[in-house]
Amino acid sequence: MVTQTDNLNVQATDESTTPRALVCDFRPGLEGVPAVQSSISYVDGKAGILEYRGIPIEELATRSTFLETSFLLIWGYLPTEAELAEFQHDIQFHRRLKFRIRDMMKCFPESGHPMDALQASAAALGLFYSRRALLDPSYIRAAVIRLLAKIPTMTAAFQMIRKGNDPIQPRDDLDYAANFLYMLSEREPDPLAARVFDTCLTLHAEHTINASTFSALVTASTMTDPYAVVASAVGTLAGPLHGGANEEVIEMLEAIGSVEAVEGFVDRAIAEKSRIMGFGHRVYKVKDPRATILQQLAEQLFDSLGHDRHYDIALELERVVADRLGHKGIYPNVDFYSGLVYRRLGIPTDLFTPVFAIARVSGWLAHWREQLAANRIFRPTQLYGGEHGVHYVPIDERGPVQLAP
Ligand code: SDX
């Protein structure tokens, strides 16, 4: 009888590798294991540094725009005025959706999560543009334009459709950030709101080999189409340990309810060994530099559009967690303050992660393009812990199997 708790009988699955070397190479979650060589972005987790193509995120957040930063990430240099104008024009021209994709979204359940709607719609783009001319630069550029242009429209379209309304058509006279906020409400956003939202997109655009980017790379390495690559990454980003944390942070702050309740909440979480959403990071062991900038954006919005008492709870939570868990390198990450910004912008909570996806499409596409230039299909190995020499037992001779608890 096979039980589930047999000792791990480590065997080399690659005959040329000795078991000891294999066991030493094993890193759960590939922690600290370089999976690619890349020049797109750089993170120093101890110093709290993030650079896109060598430019500090603080400079891009204050001096660039999301589309200019996307161009930098994807093509590797800051565009000339003419190149940026052409990039912006092409994206504006491709914002609309095929009616079949809009009609498909009308069949989605209103109760469905917007990330699932986005993943399905991104994959559906492949039905219309499935040619896999991955060696053709014009195909690559067209896919970059389409995905950057249509992901916001899809996100806003599902928001309207699930409320029983027709989607709002994009407006060519509005810039990237303003147009998205417009498609959510059919009202032109306040200029400060549009600028803050654009900066949020820049902050979320890229972050080296995070889980969703790795997912994109694995999918891309099979030479499938870029729409399948993005759909794969969207599904990965949706998880609460990754991009889904921003939605969970707001729910957590609402559940805590007051500044006075913060210490009790943190001490209970620690006692129960549960994760405090928006805190901790595989790489950062100090406060995520993006969290610092997002806090500044939140304060700008509160000054202009009115305060949010949940920000006071967030500040107290940051203080108490630093006191209790700072020694473990547990500090706010990008998801901790972003939700408070989006909430003040009037974005529904369950759209926070799709907003993260809208921004991260540019990082995924940058890595997709870099992967194609020197592709090798991802196929890691394993440490085999199962049995050998087991024989088939006819069903009438089988007894009950005791599963390990
Ligand atoms: C993003 O990779 C990226 O770059 C991602 C991202 C990007 O831009 O793409 O930055 C975006 O995903 C940000 C992370 C959003 N997720 C959350 O906020 C969810 C909560 N955070 C954690 O689940 C956690 O911090 C992770 C998943 C983000 C990182 O986990 P690790 O690196 O696997 O850390 P770990 O599980 O090894 O924990 C190390 C220790 C443990 O304590 P001990 O068992 O050693 O005593 O730190 C503790 C953990 O319990 N810990 C936490 C904690 N995160 C880690 N304790 C309480 N609350 C937390 N949030």
Side-chain angles (χ1 to χ4, degrees), residues 176-341:
Y176 194 87
N179 176 61
F180 176 71
L181 295 175
Y182 166 77
M183 290 190 295
L184 283 185
S185 64
E186 208 160 12
R187 286 191 303 277
E188 273 190 44
D190 170 286
L192 171 68
R195 185 171 58 72
V196 164
F197 183 65
D198 191 86
T199 305
C200 288
L201 294 176
T202 297
L203 293 171
H204 284 82
E206 157 66 11
H207 209 251
T208 73
I209 310 303
N210 57 85
S212 55
T213 298
F214 184 58
S215 180
L217 286 170
V218 172
T219 308
S221 75
T222 68
M223 302 299 273
T224 186
D225 65 80
Y227 309 99
V229 169
V230 167
S232 169
V234 169
T236 307
L237 185 71
L241 295 189
H242 190 13
N246 53 19
E247 182 179 337
E248 308 256 335
V249 166
I250 291 295
E251 287 160 13
M252 172 183 70
L253 294 175
E254 288 172 343
I256 293 172
S258 70
V259 169
E260 295 71 25
V262 167
E263 283 207 273
F265 171 82
V266 173
D267 290 338
R268 275 193 308 280
I270 293 171
E272 293 158 7
K273 284 195 170 300
S274 57
R275 296 299 170 95
I276 304 170
M277 291 291 124
F279 284 88
H281 199 278
R282 177 61 58 82
V283 182
Y284 291 120
K285 301 309 167 190
V286 294
K287 186 170 179 179
D288 186 325
R290 300 167 294 177
T292 303
I293 300 169
L294 283 159
Q295 223 175 321
Q296 293 157 1
L297 295 173
E299 290 172 1
Q300 282 179 39
L301 283 179
F302 299 148
D303 291 346
S304 168
L305 304 178
H307 191 59
D308 180 344
R309 70 183 186 82
H310 295 92
Y311 184 59
D312 304 321
I313 298 171
L315 290 175
E316 176 66 359
L317 191 55
E318 178 175 355
R319 185 190 68 77
V320 174
V321 172
D323 175 68
R324 306 292 202 277
L325 297 172
H327 65 283
K328 281 186 177 179
I330 310 294
Y331 290 96
N333 60 48
V334 67
D335 288 313
F336 186 56
Y337 288 108
S338 56
L340 288 165
V341 175

Side-chain angles (χ1 to χ4, degrees), residues 96-108 117 120-129 150 154 157 161 167 169:
R96 280 162 180 71
L97 298 179
K98 300 272 186 196
F99 78 85
R100 286 187 174 82
I101 289 190
R102 290 203 308 272
D103 290 353
M104 174 187 80
M105 294 175 108
K106 288 175 183 168
C107 299
F108 294 167
S121 315
L125 283 176
L127 294 165
F128 297 90
Y129 313 109
K150 297 183 188 302
M154 287 176 185
I161 288 167
Q169 284 290 31

Side-chain angles (χ1 to χ4, degrees), residues 97 118 123 134 162 169 171 181 206 218 286 344 353-354 369 383 386:
L97 298 179
L118 183 57
L134 299 177
R162 70 176 175 172
Q169 284 290 31
R171 271 183 43 183
L181 295 175
E206 157 66 11
V218 172
V286 294
R344 181 47 78 232
T353 310
R369 201 173 158 266
L383 290 178

